[in-house]
Each structure stands twice: as structure tokens, then as C-alpha cells.
């Protein structure tokens, strides 16, 4: 299937590592022109050596001005924005019992506010392109995890915003969908595993609970869904929450 993404400028937040980087590689392979915003300057420099980017911006998206400037820089460099992948986020373990109200607010800034900010600033360009938005959420939005109130509520809001923006942007032909990953091996996931006393045992335990093939989802499998959703081939798909998780969230527990 030709996804017809050739020359499309797609902004990917948090695109220097993990799932975001896999999306960037997949977009480039489809002939699109990925533009990356990430705060990890070293990882972004490494990515630039592997892949042709239409623009790259080192920025911390917790800062509103940084979001505005990043979109302005990308638009000035590329002349167009056809799609936005809101992906940057951190599972930061701000719980109800062991967190604080200040850390909770900070977690929303880390995981939620920039999804709105980037979409807001990119919107004039997306309107011109009749573009598409893909929001990366998390299974924690619907399953909970424990000790991660900030992250889980941000991800829940991202699922709600996906429906809300899909409705609001109908007149412009802009489609908005969410991908909901569960267990994907990335630098962030590895860091989380290493918080357990026996990371290998924890990993084996998780794998045993993933219905399809008892394995983690590959970043490339999330990226393939993102490319499809961004492409004209998904022209009548909007407001959807796509669980790319090997059946982890929805299939019967008895199967594992
Ligand atoms: P990752 O390996 O940490 O990669 C994310 C990249 O985004 C990193 O380079 C990170 O930089 C950057 N980033 C984070 N916050 C940023 C900010 N405020 N401003 C600029 N850059 C920022 O993470 P990942 O596992 O690929 O996760 C990507 C998305 O998938 C996240 O939204 C996550 O919640 C979601 N997700 C992942 C999984 C999974 O199993 N991996 C499951 C469910 C949902 P730093 O390294 O400096 O933070």
C-alpha cells in the first residue's frame, strides 16, 4: 500500500528516542519529511546522522514559549505542516499517597499541556494542509497503574482531547486519532524496569501476561500505525483510540 505521505511535513514531539524515533524513521522511509522536537540534544544529533529531517528543534516542551517557538521555527524552515504526532511524555510516578499537589501539577505540564500547545500553534498550518494529528496516550489512561496519578490523568485527558479535537476540527477535514501503547521497549521503559529489584524477573512476568505472542510491542509496530493514521489512506478514520498492544488491555485475562 502506498501511504502517499511523500513530502508531507510531520512534526514529532519527543522524536529523538524510543517510540518517537521509530515514528520518525518510518515516516522517512515513506518519503515524508519528519520534523523533530526533543529536549535530548545528543539523541537528536545522533538521529540526524541516521535520518533526513526537515527540521529539528531542541526544546523542553514544558515551556509554553518553547512550544510556540518550535512550531514557528519548523513552519519557517519547511513552509508547511501536514501532521503532528504528540508523543513526548514521561511516566513520572507522582502518586496520590506519595506525591504532592505541586508535583501533580508539574506532571500535567510534563505530559499534557504541550499536547494542547503544539496542536494549538500548529493548527493554522494543519488547516491549510487538511492535515492529521496523532496523540500517543497510554494504557494507564484506562487501566490505571498505581502511584502515577499525574501521568494516568494526563493520558486520560489525551484520549478525551482526541475525541474533542476530532469533533472541533471536522469542518477543516483534520482527522485526530490516538494510539494507546501498553508495553513497548524504549529507553523510558528500560528506566522504569530498572526501578524494580529484579528487572529481568519483572520483564518476564510482564511478557507472560501479553496475550499475542507473549512479547512486547515493537516501536516499529506503533510507528506503522502512526504512519497509516497520518496518511490519506486513513481518510475516514477520526476520533479513534487504537490499542496497539498485542491484546494486553482488552482480551480475556484467562488467556494468559
Ligand atoms: P522515551 O524513550 O523516553 O522517548 C521520549 C523522548 O521524548 C525522549 O527523548 C525524551 O527526552 C523526550 N521528551 C520527554 N519529555 C519531553 C519534553 N517535555 N520536552 C521535550 N522532549 C521531551 O519514551 P517512549 O517510551 O518512547 O514514550 C513515548 C510516548 O509513548 C510517551 O508519551 C509515553 O507516555 C508513551 N507510552 C510509552 C509506553 C512504553 O511502553 N514505552 C507505553 C505507553 C505509553 P528525555 O529522555 O530527556 O526525557
Amino acid at each position: 500500500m502506498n501511504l502517499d505521505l511523500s513530502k508531507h511535513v510531520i512534526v514529532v514531539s519527543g522524536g529523538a528516542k524510543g517510540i518517537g524515533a521509530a515514528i520518525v524513521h518510518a515516516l522517512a522511509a515513506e518519503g515524508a519529511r519528519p520534523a523533530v522536537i526533543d529536549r535530548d540534544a545528543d539523541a537528536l544529533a545522533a538521529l540526524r546522522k541516521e535520518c533526513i529531517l526537515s527540521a529539528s528543534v531542541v526544546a523542553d516542551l514544558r515551556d509554553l514559549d518553547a512550544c510556540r517557538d518550535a512550531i514557528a521555527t519548523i513552519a519557517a524552515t519547511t513552509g508547511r505542516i501536514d501532521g503532528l504526532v504528540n508523543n513526548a511524555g514521561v511516566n513520572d510516578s507522582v502518586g496520590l499517597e506519595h506525591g504532592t499537589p505541586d508535583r501533580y501539577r508539574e506532571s500535567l505540564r510534563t505530559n499534557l499541556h504541550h499536547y494542547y500547545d503544539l496542536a494549538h500553534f500548529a493548527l493554522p498550518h494543519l488547516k491549510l494542509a487538511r492535515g492529521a494529528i496523532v496523540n500517543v496516550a497510554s494504557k494507564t489512561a484506562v487501566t490505571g497503574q498505581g502511584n502515577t496519578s499525574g501521568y494516568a490523568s494526563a493520558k486520560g485527558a489525551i484520549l478525551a482531547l482526541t475525541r474533542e479535537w476530532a469533533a472541533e476540527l471536522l469542518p477543516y477535514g483534520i482527522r485526530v486519532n490516538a494510539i494507546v501503547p501498553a508495553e513497548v521497549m524504549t529507553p523510558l521503559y528500560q528506566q522504569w524496569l530498572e526501578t524494580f529489584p529484579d528487572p529481568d524477573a519483572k520483564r518476564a512476568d510482564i511478557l507472560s501476561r501479553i496475550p499475542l505472542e507473549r512479547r512486547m510491542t515493537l516501536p516499529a509496530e506503533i510507528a506503522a500505525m502512526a504512519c497509516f493514521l497520518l496518511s490519506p489512506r486513513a481518510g475516514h478514520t477520526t476520533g479513534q483510540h487504537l490499542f496497539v498492544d498485542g491484546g494486553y488491555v482488552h482480551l480475556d485475562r484467562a488467556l494468559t
Side-chain angles (χ1 to χ4, degrees):
M1 184 187 288
N2 176 4
L3 291 183
D4 214 4
L5 278 168
S6 173
K7 298 193 172 54
H8 286 212
V9 173
I10 310 289
V11 178
V12 183
S13 77
K17 295 203 294 277
I19 289 171
I23 293 172
V24 167
H25 280 290
L27 286 168
E30 291 296 326
R33 301 169 61 208
V36 178
I37 314 169
D38 203 292
R39 64 184 172 194
D40 186 336
D42 292 341
L44 195 47
L47 183 69
R48 271 199 303 267
K49 288 184 188 145
E50 297 167 9
C51 195
I52 297 172
L53 305 180
S54 59
S56 62
V57 179
V58 177
D60 192 326
L61 295 166
R62 288 174 297 180
D63 180 58
L64 172 60
D65 289 335
C67 292
R68 184 190 291 108
D69 293 349
I71 294 295
T73 301
I74 291 167
T77 308
T78 64
R80 59 194 271 186
I81 295 176
D82 302 271
L84 168 66
V85 181
N86 270 321
N87 164 75
V90 181
N91 192 345
D92 48 9
S93 302
V94 180
L96 181 61
E97 185 176 8
H98 299 297
T100 66
D102 282 346
R103 288 184 61 222
Y104 177 74
R105 281 160 179 71
E106 183 58 24
S107 180
L108 295 185
R109 218 154 67 90
T110 297
N111 287 299
L112 176 61
H113 296 177
H114 55 83
Y115 274 50
Y116 177 94
D117 299 336
L118 291 180
H120 175 77
F121 294 124
L123 187 54
H125 308 284
L126 294 172
K127 281 165 70 175
L128 287 174
R130 292 179 74 83
I133 299 174
V134 171
N135 291 323
V136 178
S138 160
K139 76 166 200 299
T140 58
V142 292
T143 63
Q145 186 179 72
N147 196 37
T148 199
S149 298
Y151 181 74
S153 57
K155 295 301 188 182
I158 286 162
L159 293 184
L161 287 174
T162 298
R163 293 259 152 86
E164 165 61 15
W165 296 347
E168 180 172 336
L169 302 180
L170 286 171
Y172 306 118
I174 297 173
R175 296 175 300 99
V176 187
N177 293 288
I179 298 177
V180 192
E183 313 293 332
V184 189
M185 187 51 73
T186 65
L188 176 69
Y189 196 97
Q190 187 60 38
Q191 276 169 30
W192 175 76
L193 269 185
E194 281 162 15
T195 64
F196 292 89
D198 185 346
D200 287 343
K202 180 70 183 172
R203 183 171 175 277
D205 181 45
I206 291 167
L207 293 187
S208 73
R209 295 166 200 273
I210 298 174
L212 187 62
E213 299 172 354
R214 304 290 195 274
R215 66 168 176 88
M216 300 188 78
T217 306
L218 301 173
E221 291 168 328
I222 305 286
M225 178 61 80
C227 287
F228 173 70
L229 292 173
L230 289 162
S231 81
R233 300 286 87 80
H236 216 206
T237 302
T238 195
Q240 300 304 306
H241 302 160
L242 287 304
F243 287 74
V244 183
D245 67 354
Y248 192 84
V249 170
H250 288 97
L251 294 189
D252 191 333
R253 289 287 138 217
L255 296 166
T256 55

